[in-house]
Amino acid sequence: MTRSSFGRPRDALAGRVTEVATLFLTCGVQGAGKTTLARRLEQRYGALRLTADEWLHDLGYSATGAALDAYRDGVERVQWRTARRVLELGCDVVLDWGLWAREERDHYRLGARAVGARVVLCVLDPPEEEIRRRLSRRNAELPPGTFGIFDAELAAARRFYQHPTPEELALFDPLEPAGEPPAG
């Protein structure tokens, strides 16, 4: 066996990955640190990172708020189709979305499990003052692939966000499978 570029054992003759792929789901409101974590997961696990805001930006959508969200659904549909195929191929994926509702998290967890993948939910819930500090810096700098997030949008997000319950969290896999050392 040799090691694949994704850090998994690869059958040298068949070229197949022999371990189960993992879907990482980021969960939290804007400014919680989802994209920062998603980039770290991408590097640590050699995962494909799918960040909807980056795609929207690259496609030239400059709208904000509800107008931007009208485009988001289509981008996320394409990203989810891509994610499922990549998981089927045995590679890890990070969906860098908010996933504010339990229904959404259940949908992607069950979809990934249907193709044999592990699913890790990465919940980010920093204090309100930390989120506001991050968003203030983000709005001032607007790094590539990002959009401004202002008080009204953050307030709306807080109203819609459903914190995962302990019962829901128990449905997901741990970051590292039991009995295995941390990657990398």
Side-chain angles (χ1 to χ4, degrees):
M1 293 248 177
T2 60
R3 301 280 306 163
S4 75
S5 61
F6 296 101
R8 293 202 176 87
R10 181 178 291 276
D11 181 319
L13 295 175
R16 293 181 306 228
V17 174
T18 58
E19 286 186 22
V20 174
T22 300
L23 174 65
F24 298 95
L25 300 173
T26 61
C27 175
V29 298
Q30 305 98 319
K34 297 180 304 296
T35 299
T36 299
L37 175 63
R39 287 181 178 131
R40 288 181 183 147
L41 293 168
E42 172 186 34
Q43 292 299 311
R44 181 174 181 185
Y45 295 96
L48 172 64
R49 177 176 56 87
L50 298 170
T51 301
D53 282 355
E54 289 177 359
W55 284 36
L56 288 161
H57 188 270
D58 289 348
L59 289 168
Y61 298 119
S62 59
T64 59
L68 182 63
D69 288 340
Y71 299 113
R72 183 178 306 281
D73 289 343
V75 166
E76 289 182 356
R77 269 194 309 278
V78 171
Q79 287 185 337
W80 175 236
R81 242 189 341 261
T82 302
R84 281 185 55 119
R85 181 64 184 135
V86 169
L87 292 167
E88 288 171 347
L89 294 171
C91 301
D92 296 339
V93 175
V94 182
L95 282 187
D96 178 22
W97 304 346
L99 299 175
W100 298 346
R102 163 85 189 252
E103 179 181 1
E104 292 176 297
R105 297 185 295 263
D106 286 344
H107 173 77
Y108 297 112
R109 177 178 48 81
L110 293 172
R113 291 263 170 78
V115 298
R118 296 176 64 248
V119 187
V120 174
L121 182 63
C122 304
V123 180
L124 294 108
D125 192 21
E128 181 78 16
E129 56 275 1
E130 175 65 14
I131 289 174
R132 290 191 180 283
R133 185 186 65 74
R134 291 176 183 176
L135 289 177
S136 176
R137 187 177 68 232
R138 173 183 167 164
N139 290 339
E141 298 170 4
L142 277 185
T146 63
F147 297 91
I149 303 294
F150 301 97
D151 287 343
E153 291 163 309
L154 181 59
R158 289 275 188 216
R159 283 193 305 275
F160 292 113
Y161 182 67
Q162 299 170 355
H163 289 273
T165 64
E167 295 79 17
E168 179 186 0
L169 293 172
L171 299 172
F172 290 88
D173 296 298
L175 181 60
E176 301 296 338
E180 291 195 21

